Amino acid sequence: MAADIAAVIAAILIALSMRQLFDGYIVANLYWRLTPSLILFPVVFATLRLYPGVLLSPPEELKKLSLGVSLVYLALGAVTFFSRDAALYSRGAFILAWLASLMLAPLARTLVRDMFARKPWWGYPVVVFGTDDTARVLLRTLQLRPRLGLRPVAVYSCHDEALAEDFVEGVPVVSNPEDIASLGRSTNSFAAVSGACLMTEERHAMLDTLARTFKHVIILPQAMGRTSLWATALDVGGLLGLLVRHNLLDGRRLAMKRFMDLTLTILGGLVALPLCLVIALIIRLESRGPALFKQRRIGLNGKPFHVWKFRTMVPHAEQLLAEHLARNPALQQEWNSCQKLRRDPRVTRIGRFLRCTSLDELPQLVNVLRGDLSLVGPRPIVEAEIDRYRDCYHHYTRVKPGITGLWQISGRNLVSYDKRIDLDTYYINNWSVWFDIYILARTIPVVITRQGAC
């Protein structure tokens, strides 16, 4: 909450300063009168369930934040419009403050999580009931991703078998029901119950006991397959159902994705055109050969297309790679794992810079205009990679590949090939316009910091 308010105050100060910098007339006292209205931001955010934000996915959080910020500014705009001093308020400063708040609020929340997520007091306690694979994966996920806001404090077996103390490192094993009761009485405590616990005959009694003990009870069904950000619980005639939206089958959402691709590509292309000309000139001056090269990739519905990039390698690159791998067996293993080399001998000096900054992919904006690529999507693969995707390949062919994607903002070259496939599949199954906006926003700092790129 403090981060949200600080972000909004910073946005307003930036907007007013910019307005005054460009010879705008600002009546400071008018804006000081609006200070009490800052309380509207946390009130609206709380109504949208942004507090405490436990288990809130980044796209959903970005969606709710944008909606909340826009609603408050809309209300403030209506109030100032009908006030006696309406003409003295700066419309430009108002719009700029709104846009700055849309950017700074998610950034402030990210910084807070990065600073405090590893602290022992961060998050809410959760007791995991179950000793099956689902429980083990949940415990490790919560340990590796403390930003989710749940802190595992104990694991409890729903069966009578003895439970090893090292079931999951760092999480104590509890076998006494009285210990569970004491943990459940803490403020905002959570219980996560795996599907295996619900197979017992006493499942109804157990759920009733958990409901009386814990404020929040999370049920993890078995055999759910891959996760979905957009699953919604339903009451189907007294039975619990789970509605999963397939956004990829919604023509309206796909049309919106295409519109966003075209709009951002045209605007970005106009800005990037002079830079592209300079890059092409430097490439031609450093080594012989064309500034651009095209490579055959697999796209939507498995149809091949040619993707354009700035040339970052020397001529006869494939021959040089084969000779280099033959002399270095250790590098052959790295190549087999990631289809990349951290120190690739084929890459030129300007090419290494272009790759680290992702500027080599600027020509792919042409592919986006042609409809071969999207701005956001799974990384486009070559035919030799189809076998590595195995049963995930049919997921890959359901969408257009992208210039950036979940893999690019999750570590890039630091991520194994199998993990990259998992990230691509997760994105495809959970695609939404807000997910694309989140990835595009995260791409900017990742490119600037060169995270995992070189």
Side-chain angles (χ1 to χ4, degrees):
M1 188 181 297
D4 290 336
I5 295 176
V8 171
I9 292 176
I12 294 173
L13 292 177
I14 290 174
L16 295 178
S17 300
M18 293 292 293
R19 178 62 178 165
Q20 199 164 24
L21 181 64
F22 291 99
D23 298 327
Y25 178 68
I26 297 295
V27 182
N29 290 335
L30 288 178
Y31 295 95
W32 277 111
R33 296 177 190 172
L34 297 177
T35 302
S37 63
L38 289 175
I39 194 64
L40 289 176
F41 287 94
V43 169
V44 172
F45 290 171
T47 303
L48 294 174
R49 297 185 178 180
L50 284 166
Y51 302 128
V54 173
L55 296 177
L56 193 62
S57 67
E60 186 70 9
E61 182 179 49
L62 181 61
K63 176 182 178 180
K64 290 184 175 183
L65 270 177
S66 301
L67 176 61
V69 167
S70 300
L71 285 175
V72 175
Y73 274 97
L74 184 63
L76 291 177
V79 170
T80 56
F81 178 81
F82 288 107
S83 68
R84 291 179 302 175
D85 302 315
L88 298 178
Y89 286 102
S90 170
R91 295 176 180 84
F94 186 88
I95 295 175
L96 184 58
W98 169 59
L99 295 175
S101 297
L102 289 176
M103 293 185 290
L104 293 182
L107 178 61
R109 283 176 164 247
T110 299
L111 292 176
V112 166
R113 289 193 178 100
D114 290 343
M115 291 173 60
F116 301 121
R118 295 285 178 183
K119 301 296 182 181
W121 47 264
W122 176 268
Y124 293 92
V126 57
V127 179
V128 176
F129 289 78
T131 56
D132 57 343
D133 291 338
T134 301
R136 189 186 299 272
V137 171
L138 173 64
L139 286 165
R140 289 178 175 171
T141 299
L142 296 179
Q143 287 180 322
L144 293 173
R145 300 175 62 188
R147 300 172 82 253
L148 293 173
L150 289 186
R151 176 169 39 88
V153 295
V155 59
Y156 184 85
S157 175
C158 300
H159 304 282
D160 295 331
E161 74 272 12
L163 187 61
E165 291 292 334
D166 59 350
F167 177 70
V168 171
E169 184 179 357
V171 182
V173 176
V174 178
S175 56
N176 190 343
E178 294 181 0
D179 295 334
I180 296 296
S182 63
L183 291 170
R185 282 193 292 268
S186 62
T187 305
N188 282 327
S189 57
F190 283 74
V193 187
S194 71
C197 288
L198 300 179
M199 301 302 291
T200 61
E201 295 181 357
E202 300 81 10
R203 61 183 179 275
H204 294 297
M206 184 185 69
L207 287 175
D208 289 339
T209 301
L210 292 176
R212 292 194 302 268
T213 307
F214 292 87
K215 186 175 180 180
H216 309 278
V217 178
I218 302 172
I219 299 175
L220 302 171
Q222 289 182 310
M224 273 298 297
R226 298 189 180 275
T227 58
S228 174
L229 291 176
W230 316 115
T232 306
L234 294 177
D235 183 350
V236 186
L239 299 175
L240 177 63
L242 204 60
L243 174 65
V244 179
R245 299 203 307 263
H246 294 282
N247 291 339
L248 291 170
L249 302 180
D250 191 332
R252 293 175 300 174
R253 286 187 172 90
L254 291 178
M256 188 179 300
K257 180 179 177 67
R258 180 60 179 160
F259 175 77
M260 186 170 66
D261 283 344
L262 291 176
T263 302
L264 295 179
T265 299
I266 292 173
L267 295 176
L270 293 175
V271 175
L273 183 58
L275 177 61
C276 290
L277 296 176
V278 173
I279 292 174
L281 178 61
I282 296 176
I283 293 174
R284 293 295 303 273
L285 291 175
E286 183 182 17
S287 61
R288 295 181 179 180
L292 299 175
F293 86 100
K294 62 181 181 180
Q295 189 176 31
R296 185 182 174 92
R297 299 293 177 95
I298 304 299
L300 180 66
N301 297 322
K303 295 180 180 179
F305 71 99
H306 287 97
V307 64
W308 290 94
K309 300 179 71 174
F310 280 121
R311 180 173 61 85
T312 58
M313 295 184 180
V314 297
H316 311 294
E318 295 304 321
Q319 179 181 350
L320 179 62
L321 174 65
E323 296 173 355
H324 188 70
L325 294 180
R327 293 192 301 266
N328 300 274
L331 295 180
Q332 180 69 60
Q333 184 177 0
E334 179 184 350
W335 176 261
N336 293 338
S337 174
C338 303
Q339 295 293 297
K340 288 180 177 289
L341 294 178
R342 298 278 295 176
R343 300 296 179 186
D344 198 323
R346 302 171 295 171
V347 181
T348 61
R349 287 178 298 176
I350 182 62
R352 188 169 293 109
F353 171 78
L354 293 177
R355 288 189 172 193
C356 286
T357 56
S358 298
L359 293 176
D360 61 316
E361 298 179 356
L362 280 178
Q364 292 177 19
L365 294 176
V366 176
N367 289 110
V368 177
L369 292 176
R370 293 179 53 183
D372 300 324
L373 289 176
S374 177
L375 286 178
V376 182
R379 181 179 178 273
I381 64 173
V382 298
E383 293 182 5
E385 297 176 273
I386 293 178
D387 292 338
R388 302 194 67 172
Y389 267 69
R390 299 181 296 277
D391 59 336
C392 296
Y393 177 67
H394 76 279
H395 289 283
Y396 169 84
T397 57
R398 294 173 64 188
V399 298
K400 294 179 183 178
I403 296 179
T404 185
L406 194 56
W407 169 71
Q408 283 87 340
I409 66 171
S410 301
R412 298 184 66 177
N413 296 337
L414 303 177
V415 176
S416 68
Y417 195 93
D418 289 340
K419 181 62 175 177
R420 190 184 88 186
I421 295 175
D422 290 339
L423 291 171
D424 285 345
T425 306
Y426 180 83
Y427 167 80
I428 294 167
N429 287 321
N430 293 280
W431 174 82
S432 72
V433 172
W434 283 103
F435 207 171
D436 280 1
I437 295 174
Y438 165 73
I439 292 175
L440 287 171
R442 282 289 307 275
T443 298
I444 298 174
V446 167
V447 169
I448 294 175
T449 59
R450 305 182 185 182
Q451 179 183 352
C454 51

